[in-house]
Amino acid sequence: TLGFGMTTPATVAGKVFLIVYGLFGCAGTILFFNLFLERIISLLAFIMKACHERQLRRSGLLPPNFRRGPAMAGVGSLVGWKPSVYHVMLILGIFAITLSCCASAMYTAVEGWNYVDSLYYCFVTFSTIGFGDLVSSQNAAYQNQGLYRFGNFIFILMGVCCIYSLFNVISIVIKQVLNWVLKKFECRCCPKCHKSSARLGRRNAITPGARLRRHNISMDADGQYDSDTEGRRLSGEMISMRELTASNKVSLAILQKQLSETANGYPRNVCINTRQNGFSAGVGALAIMNNRLAETSDSR
């Protein structure tokens, strides 16, 4: 995806081949970059975890003969430990800058560019922008041409992989910063927004922890659980069984009544009607639906 434009297909067959080959070639290259990102982050995590363990040993939180393995489960400071995304971004940034400086020194010595132009070329190339105003290895002959082209290939490959990984990590940091900014800019000081959000709350919508905030209302004394002032519950939130039963007392009472009637064998007329109309008897919500279907079928 560099697209310098110095070498392009001229025939129709070459253009068609480029489209077909590029479809799979670009997909395979992106897969290679993703795998490189996974491996480099795994390597960085391993190194940073080893440094973290060494720091814990020096501070006396870990025994000197501590080794990785089943004993790690008993060490609270290492359970679930993960490297910070900012540390990974910093390491990738330092590595990218070092690689660009080394490549720029090579391009300055071989291509005759000044050092700033070489740095500019490295960023444009490694980030796959590919303007094409500066392109390496375009002269007719070079001293040690084979070695230079091999070094150019290695620098471009490693630079693109490193910058691609750095861009992915930066995108994660940008997302975290945007989420933090959005939380800070929430309209908490405006009472109209709170009133409008409270009006949007639907009946029997359970808010986690709402029962704990209403200490003066007991579970046995109140009627249907009305949460008009509590607001909507998010789809990903968990609710407790007490809140669930409090919001569905009527449904639970109907289910209990149906279970009791089914176990005791009455009312007989409903069971007979359901059998005559082809609706099999059921328990709970299924019995309610079957009885309703039986009543409507009799009325017709």
Side-chain angles (χ1 to χ4, degrees), residues 225-245:
Y225 181 73
D226 191 357
S227 62
D228 291 340
T229 59
E230 295 294 335
R232 289 182 177 271
R233 176 175 61 87
L234 299 178
S235 59
E237 293 181 355
M238 300 296 293
I239 61 176
S240 64
M241 185 57 67
R242 294 181 62 185
E243 293 171 343
L244 180 62
T245 54

Side-chain angles (χ1 to χ4, degrees), residues 192-203 205 227-233:
K192 295 182 180 180
C193 297
H194 291 284
K195 291 181 180 179
S196 61
S197 62
R199 292 173 183 175
L200 291 176
R202 65 178 183 274
R203 200 174 188 85
S227 62
D228 291 340
T229 59
E230 295 294 335
R232 289 182 177 271
R233 176 175 61 87

Side-chain angles (χ1 to χ4, degrees), residues 122-194:
C122 288
F123 177 77
V124 171
T125 302
F126 296 167
S127 60
T128 67
I129 295 175
F131 285 133
D133 50 349
L134 293 175
V135 182
S136 62
S137 189
Q138 293 299 312
N139 295 336
Y142 292 94
Q143 187 178 3
N144 300 323
Q145 185 171 358
L147 182 61
Y148 170 65
R149 289 184 175 179
F150 177 76
N152 189 22
F153 168 75
I154 294 298
F155 273 122
I156 292 178
L157 180 63
M158 295 300 297
V160 172
C161 290
C162 185
I163 294 295
Y164 176 83
S165 303
L166 181 61
F167 284 168
N168 277 275
V169 177
I170 291 176
S171 65
I172 296 174
V173 175
I174 292 175
K175 182 180 178 181
Q176 293 179 353
V177 172
L178 289 178
N179 291 334
W180 180 80
V181 171
L182 290 177
K183 289 181 179 179
K184 289 296 182 181
F185 278 95
E186 285 181 352
C187 188
R188 298 178 180 178
C189 59
C190 182
K192 295 182 180 180
C193 297
H194 291 284

Side-chain angles (χ1 to χ4, degrees), residues 5-299:
M6 307 303 295
T7 303
T8 58
T11 61
V12 177
K15 295 176 181 179
V16 172
F17 174 77
L18 174 65
I19 294 174
V20 177
Y21 184 80
L23 181 64
F24 297 97
C26 292
T29 304
I30 293 175
L31 176 62
F32 173 77
F33 289 158
N34 290 327
L35 294 176
F36 178 85
L37 175 61
E38 292 179 3
R39 299 302 182 271
I40 196 67
I41 289 181
S42 299
L43 178 61
L44 291 177
F46 176 79
I47 296 174
M48 294 173 66
K49 193 167 187 177
C51 295
H52 182 66
E53 292 178 6
R54 186 177 180 181
Q55 184 179 4
L56 290 178
R57 285 196 187 95
R58 288 182 177 180
S59 60
L61 298 178
L62 283 180
N65 56 353
F66 173 77
R67 294 181 180 180
R68 295 183 181 89
M72 185 178 294
V75 182
S77 58
L78 292 178
V79 174
W81 184 87
K82 293 181 180 179
S84 174
V85 65
Y86 302 103
H87 294 164
V88 175
M89 181 181 66
L90 179 62
I91 295 174
L92 286 175
I94 293 174
F95 184 73
I97 292 174
T98 304
L99 189 66
S100 299
C101 291
C102 295
S104 298
M106 183 187 71
Y107 294 135
T108 301
V110 178
E111 296 290 347
W113 305 332
N114 58 51
Y115 197 76
V116 176
D117 288 341
S118 299
L119 284 174
Y120 163 77
Y121 168 77
C122 288
F123 177 77
V124 171
T125 302
F126 296 167
S127 60
T128 67
I129 295 175
F131 285 133
D133 50 349
L134 293 175
V135 182
S136 62
S137 189
Q138 293 299 312
N139 295 336
Y142 292 94
Q143 187 178 3
N144 300 323
Q145 185 171 358
L147 182 61
Y148 170 65
R149 289 184 175 179
F150 177 76
N152 189 22
F153 168 75
I154 294 298
F155 273 122
I156 292 178
L157 180 63
M158 295 300 297
V160 172
C161 290
C162 185
I163 294 295
Y164 176 83
S165 303
L166 181 61
F167 284 168
N168 277 275
V169 177
I170 291 176
S171 65
I172 296 174
V173 175
I174 292 175
K175 182 180 178 181
Q176 293 179 353
V177 172
L178 289 178
N179 291 334
W180 180 80
V181 171
L182 290 177
K183 289 181 179 179
K184 289 296 182 181
F185 278 95
E186 285 181 352
C187 188
R188 298 178 180 178
C189 59
C190 182
K192 295 182 180 180
C193 297
H194 291 284
K195 291 181 180 179
S196 61
S197 62
R199 292 173 183 175
L200 291 176
R202 65 178 183 274
R203 200 174 188 85
N204 292 331
I206 304 169
T207 305
R211 298 290 297 174
L212 298 177
R213 292 192 298 267
R214 301 172 66 178
H215 297 287
N216 57 344
I217 301 178
S218 62
M219 181 177 176
D220 297 328
D222 58 357
Q224 292 185 4
Y225 181 73
D226 191 357
S227 62
D228 291 340
T229 59
E230 295 294 335
R232 289 182 177 271
R233 176 175 61 87
L234 299 178
S235 59
E237 293 181 355
M238 300 296 293
I239 61 176
S240 64
M241 185 57 67
R242 294 181 62 185
E243 293 171 343
L244 180 62
T245 54
S247 63
N248 295 279
K249 281 187 175 181
V250 177
S251 301
L252 291 176
I254 295 176
L255 293 179
Q256 185 177 3
K257 179 181 178 182
Q258 292 295 326
L259 288 172
S260 177
E261 290 177 355
T262 305
N264 295 327
Y266 61 85
R268 296 291 183 180
N269 55 352
V270 176
C271 297
I272 295 173
N273 292 334
T274 55
R275 293 190 184 95
Q276 290 177 355
N277 289 279
F279 301 105
S280 60
V283 178
L286 182 60
I288 298 172
M289 182 186 67
N290 290 338
N291 294 336
R292 183 58 183 167
L293 289 173
E295 292 172 2
T296 55
S297 60
D298 286 337
S299 63

